[in-house]
């Protein structure tokens, strides 16, 4: 039986030609406006996503990686650069992937309708922008923001710290819903401009920002601690060894009966083809077991739980002290 499965996989591998799907994707993206006018948005996007799904499978199977990357660089990127989100991600104007502006563009695109969703330099770019916003990675981004805003509202948490906060979208959402809140809200981020953006959105005296080196700030000798500490996406950019060290430092700052949450993209994330080949967005993915291993050396753990979101994009690790 195993031999039959191996032979079947080999036959399928021979039959499948990645360049056929890559050229099909190029053609579909080039003519997305025509298909949109003929078929409507849902059917047009479904057709494109079917092709992307096949390419995604090749990527996850570690096949045709270089072929896909080279083809996208030459033929697909010139098309997707007409989308505001794809353009920003690929250009990295702030020098790194996933900056707070990228997160803002995603949130504004999925939480509002109209111009934020269809944002591009051409009509084709507008539609590719909407296609990107419908991807599992963007939708899962919105889901984790909503989930964290709800977590922050837990009445048992009197003090909250966001690590690698960006412009604190989930904190802003919490503040909008709880304008009279007296919680202590502290945001740690390397980029001072994210603090300026946050203040511009909700005003001063809503939260305290600690800009600069996050690791030095959170591991300082200050006897500061919090009921709830979380990192929405920073661990995506740390390997497993570094992540364990960082979790240990954060755990030391969690109050008794407090909670630490770490969120990290899963290696089987269904948007990897688009993220890596179109957005040039690479991460240190971690499996569920690797996420749980972050707690191995922690002392005083009361309970550990974890789950993956409904888009199969992000693993959530919840550690109670």
């Amino acid at each position: 039986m195993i031999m039959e499965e191996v032979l079947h996989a080999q036959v399928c591998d021979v039959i499948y030609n990645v360049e056929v799907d890559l050229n099909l994707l190029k053609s579909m993206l080039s003519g997305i406006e025509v298909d949109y006018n003929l078929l409507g948005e849902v059917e047009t996007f479904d057709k494109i996503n079917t092709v992307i799904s096949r390419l995604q499978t090749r990527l996850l199977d570690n096949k045709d990686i270089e072929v896909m990357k080279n083809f996208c660089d030459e033929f697909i990127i010139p098309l997707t650069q007409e989308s505001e989100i794809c353009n920003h991600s690929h250009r990295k104007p702030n020098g790194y992937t996933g900056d707070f502006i990228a997160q803002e563009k995603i949130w504004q695109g999925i939480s509002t309708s109209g111009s934020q969703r269809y944002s591009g330099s051409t009509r084709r770019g507008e539609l590719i922008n909407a296609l990107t916003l419908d991807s599992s990675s963007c939708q899962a981004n919105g889901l984790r923001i909503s989930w964290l805003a709800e977590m922050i509202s837990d009445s048992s948490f009197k003090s909250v710290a966001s690590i690698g906060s960006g412009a604190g979208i989930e904190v802003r959402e919490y503040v909008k819903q709880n304008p009279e809140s007296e919680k202590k809200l502290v945001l740690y981020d390397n980029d001072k401009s994210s603090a300026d953006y946050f203040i511009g959105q909700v005003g001063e005296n809503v939260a305290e920002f600690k800009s600069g080196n996050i690791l030095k700030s959170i591991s300082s000798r200050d006897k500061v601690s919090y009921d709830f500490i979380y990192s929405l996406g920073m661990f995506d950019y740390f390997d497993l060894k570094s992540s364990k060290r960082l979790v240990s430092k954060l755990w030391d700052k969690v109050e008794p009966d407090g909670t630490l949450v770490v969120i990290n993209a899963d290696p089987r994330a269904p948007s990897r083809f688009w993220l890596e080949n179109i957005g040039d967005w690479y991460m240190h993915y971690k499996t569920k077991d690797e996420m749980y291993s972050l707690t191995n050396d922690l002392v005083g753990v009361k309970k550990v739980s974890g789950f993956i979101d409904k888009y199969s994009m992000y693993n959530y690790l919840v550690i109670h002290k």
Side-chain angles (χ1 to χ4, degrees):
M1 185 66 180
I2 294 177
M3 181 59 70
E4 290 177 1
E5 291 175 353
V6 171
L7 288 173
H8 176 72
Q10 290 175 341
V11 170
C12 291
D13 203 42
V14 171
I15 294 173
Y16 181 80
N17 186 335
V18 69
E19 292 188 0
V20 171
D21 268 344
L22 287 169
N23 277 292
L24 186 55
L25 178 61
K26 173 189 172 185
S27 176
M28 286 180 165
L29 292 176
S30 296
I32 191 172
E33 186 176 354
V34 174
D35 283 350
Y36 176 89
N37 291 334
L38 288 173
L39 305 173
E41 181 170 296
V42 174
E43 188 172 345
T44 298
F45 287 7
D46 282 348
K47 286 175 58 180
I48 295 173
N49 284 324
T50 297
V51 178
I52 292 174
S53 179
R54 292 198 295 264
L55 294 168
Q56 165 84 2
T57 298
R58 301 299 284 184
L59 184 146
L60 295 181
D61 289 342
N62 203 31
K63 295 175 180 177
D64 303 315
I65 303 297
E66 188 173 351
V67 173
M68 290 191 288
K69 182 63 177 173
N70 290 340
F71 187 96
C72 287
D73 285 348
E74 185 172 357
F75 299 110
I76 305 295
I77 298 299
L79 303 174
T80 57
Q81 289 304 280
E82 296 170 13
S83 152
E84 183 176 323
I85 287 177
C86 295
N87 183 285
H88 182 92
S89 176
H90 197 267
R91 283 191 306 110
K92 301 177 181 61
N94 290 333
Y96 61 96
T97 302
D99 61 17
F100 81 91
I101 294 296
Q103 301 298 336
E104 291 292 328
K105 290 181 183 298
I106 292 171
W107 178 247
Q108 291 168 14
I110 64 176
S111 60
T112 59
S113 59
S115 62
Q116 298 300 317
R117 174 174 169 80
Y118 302 97
S119 184
S121 59
T122 64
R123 179 55 178 160
R124 176 170 60 194
E126 292 172 355
L127 294 173
I128 293 174
N129 205 73
L131 173 74
T132 302
L133 287 168
D134 284 350
S135 69
S136 59
S137 60
C138 289
Q139 293 299 313
N141 258 294
L143 188 64
R144 65 182 178 175
I145 287 170
S146 299
W147 185 84
L148 284 168
E150 186 174 338
M151 283 289 290
I152 294 170
S153 68
D154 189 318
S155 60
S156 67
F157 299 148
K158 305 302 182 185
S159 56
V160 177
S162 173
I163 311 301
S165 64
I169 301 173
E170 68 287 346
V171 176
R172 285 163 22 210
E173 290 301 303
Y174 165 76
V175 170
K176 288 177 185 176
Q177 298 166 18
N178 303 273
E180 305 301 321
S181 172
E182 296 183 356
K183 288 180 186 285
K184 177 182 179 182
L185 305 170
V186 183
L187 286 70
Y188 291 80
D189 198 75
N190 289 330
D191 191 346
K192 185 181 181 302
S193 60
S194 63
D196 297 333
Y197 188 91
F198 178 91
I199 292 171
Q201 294 293 307
V202 294
E204 298 185 28
N205 304 319
V206 171
E208 177 184 359
F209 248 94
K210 292 185 180 291
S211 302
N213 188 295
I214 296 173
L215 298 182
K216 288 183 179 179
S217 297
I218 197 65
S219 60
S220 67
R221 295 181 182 274
D222 296 343
K223 293 184 178 181
V224 60
S225 56
Y226 304 93
D227 298 316
F228 179 40
I229 299 178
Y230 68 89
S231 180
L232 181 148
M234 191 178 71
F235 280 81
D236 288 331
Y237 307 101
F238 287 88
D239 61 24
L240 189 60
K241 184 177 180 181
S242 299
S243 294
K244 287 182 177 180
R245 288 200 300 267
L246 180 54
V247 164
S248 178
K249 292 180 182 297
L250 296 179
W251 186 244
D252 289 342
K253 301 296 183 178
V254 177
E255 286 274 13
D257 296 318
T259 300
L260 171 63
V261 168
V262 174
I263 303 175
N264 205 130
D266 187 87
R268 305 293 295 181
S271 293
R272 277 190 66 176
F273 171 81
W274 196 261
L275 281 168
E276 296 178 2
N277 290 284
I278 307 305
D280 196 34
W281 196 326
Y282 293 87
M283 294 180 276
H284 286 286
Y285 298 94
K286 297 178 184 66
T287 65
K288 178 181 177 180
D289 288 342
E290 287 173 329
M291 292 291 282
Y292 274 93
S293 75
L294 299 177
T295 68
N296 287 349
D297 300 324
L298 302 183
V299 177
V301 175
K302 184 184 298 183
K303 179 185 176 183
V304 179
S305 60
F307 62 94
I308 192 166
D309 65 50
K310 67 179 182 180
Y311 300 102
S312 299
M313 180 70 199
Y314 291 111
N315 283 308
Y316 289 61
L317 181 69
V318 184
I319 318 168
H320 301 280
K321 182 177 279 189

